[in-house]
Amino acid sequence: MLIDEVPERAVRRAGAAIELPEGLLVLDADSGEFGRMPKPVADAKIRGLSFDGARMVLVGGRGTCLLRLADGEQCWYGIPEERYDEHADLSPDGRTIAILTCDEENAIISLLDPETGRRRDIWSDPGTASHECEIRWSPAGRTIAATYMIWDDEMDDDALSTVVVDAADGRVLAGPFIRTHLLGGWLTADLLSFREEYDDLHRLQRLDTTTGEVITGPTIPGRVWAAVAGRHVHEVDELEDHHAEDTTFYTTDIGFADRRPLFTLQPKVEVRYFFLAAGVSLPPSR
């Protein structure tokens, strides 16, 4: 797919959104075709898509925003004093936004009701939130996984840490796992993927939230961007093909087998973020 030949188009629902330096590539969930669109809000960061792809989740200095793609309507939700919203994710049923926010001392998970604008904190831990962090609802909408930043006394440095909490009351179900970060998120309703920061073997860790067992998987091929319906979405990286002249995406199963091509962007570009709408089928290979 030649990027320069992708037409500009408005979409009502996006199956995927790929942020490039030049703007956004979006997969029209209804037609199955890709289109280009400018960054929707200049001073905000894209953080995800709703389950059906009808809304885009943004964060910025004003707080957290739900952007309706069909007409561009923006619903902004302000920030409590001395807070900063860094990441957000809309629940599968569309009724609650999980926000990874922080104050001067703690990383905080808040739940926000888009109908009323009310938010409540369900979890906090000494630390902060940065662009390297992430928050993701499980597909069933009962649990939330978040990666946040802590101070690691052992390493005498900042470190990412991952925790899984009950969405109802913030009770910690697993973790925190120190020096780890989410890797694509939830493969299934109960299986979460993440990796260790300093694993030279570059291996996947899988957490079974029903048993609490963490399973060390194989070496990760490519750059993992997302996980949906039991499959990982990868981008070919320099370790796989140092001389690649384009940007290629593919999917694999949980064990990184059953590799299937997804699409290729030409020429090679820098992919800043890649988001999927979990309720929209992956595009056919092209």
Side-chain angles (χ1 to χ4, degrees):
M1 178 169 54
L2 292 173
I3 296 175
D4 290 343
E5 295 182 1
V6 176
E8 291 191 8
R9 71 168 72 209
V11 301
R12 298 181 60 84
R13 297 190 307 126
I18 306 169
E19 185 174 348
L20 309 175
E22 301 82 4
L24 282 177
L25 283 181
V26 292
L27 173 69
D28 189 326
D30 298 313
S31 70
E33 297 296 325
F34 278 93
R36 287 188 297 166
M37 61 182 292
K39 189 174 180 180
V41 182
D43 60 346
K45 304 168 187 174
I46 302 168
R47 290 301 187 228
L49 295 168
S50 62
F51 183 82
D52 62 359
R55 290 178 286 182
M56 189 172 282
V57 184
L58 311 171
V59 297
R62 289 178 280 173
T64 293
C65 173
L66 290 182
L67 171 73
R68 191 164 59 196
L69 292 176
D71 58 10
E73 180 187 60
Q74 300 175 27
C75 291
W76 282 92
Y77 305 96
I79 317 170
E81 290 187 13
E82 300 181 354
R83 295 264 186 107
Y84 185 80
D85 293 349
E86 185 61 53
H87 293 270
D89 192 32
L90 187 62
S91 61
D93 64 9
R95 296 180 179 178
T96 310
I97 306 173
I99 301 172
L100 181 62
T101 184
C102 60
D103 57 22
E104 293 182 354
E105 297 180 353
N106 297 307
I108 301 163
I109 295 176
S110 297
L111 299 184
L112 187 147
D113 182 342
E115 292 295 321
T116 65
R118 295 175 183 168
R119 68 162 82 191
R120 62 185 178 94
D121 299 342
I122 63 168
W123 172 91
S124 67
D125 197 46
T128 189
S130 72
H131 70 279
E132 301 171 90
C133 302
E134 192 171 355
I135 189 166
R136 287 288 173 256
W137 284 91
S138 69
R142 294 189 296 267
T143 53
I144 298 168
T147 294
Y148 61 108
M149 188 77 74
I150 65 168
W151 181 259
D152 185 351
D153 290 329
E154 180 181 344
M155 300 291 290
D156 194 31
D157 197 3
D158 291 331
L160 296 171
S161 183
T162 301
V163 67
V164 180
V165 303
D166 189 309
D169 56 15
R171 176 170 50 93
V172 174
L173 302 176
F177 301 101
I178 310 301
R179 297 187 293 279
T180 68
H181 61 86
L182 292 175
L183 191 71
W186 295 90
L187 281 159
T188 67
D190 302 310
L191 198 61
L192 181 72
S193 63
F194 62 93
R195 75 175 295 262
E196 297 179 354
E197 280 192 274
Y198 303 112
D199 180 8
D200 292 336
L201 298 179
H202 201 50
R203 294 169 298 184
L204 173 78
Q205 305 291 326
R206 294 193 296 263
L207 167 67
D208 185 334
T209 58
T210 61
T211 64
E213 182 182 11
V214 176
I215 304 166
T216 300
T219 297
I220 302 163
R223 166 70 159 92
V224 176
W225 279 108
V228 63
R231 296 190 69 81
H232 293 286
V233 177
H234 306 252
E235 174 191 350
V236 172
D237 65 8
E238 291 189 354
L239 294 178
E240 287 189 285
D241 187 351
H242 182 70
H243 301 290
E245 297 181 354
D246 48 34
T247 299
T248 299
F249 292 88
Y250 60 93
T251 69
T252 64
D253 62 17
I254 291 176
F256 300 139
D258 188 26
R259 179 166 171 160
R260 302 176 189 174
L262 197 55
F263 56 86
T264 297
L265 304 179
Q266 298 172 326
K268 187 176 179 64
V269 292
E270 174 196 353
V271 176
R272 292 180 173 175
Y273 290 102
F274 184 111
F275 301 105
L276 286 175
V280 178
S281 298
L282 289 171
S285 300
R286 60 183 68 197

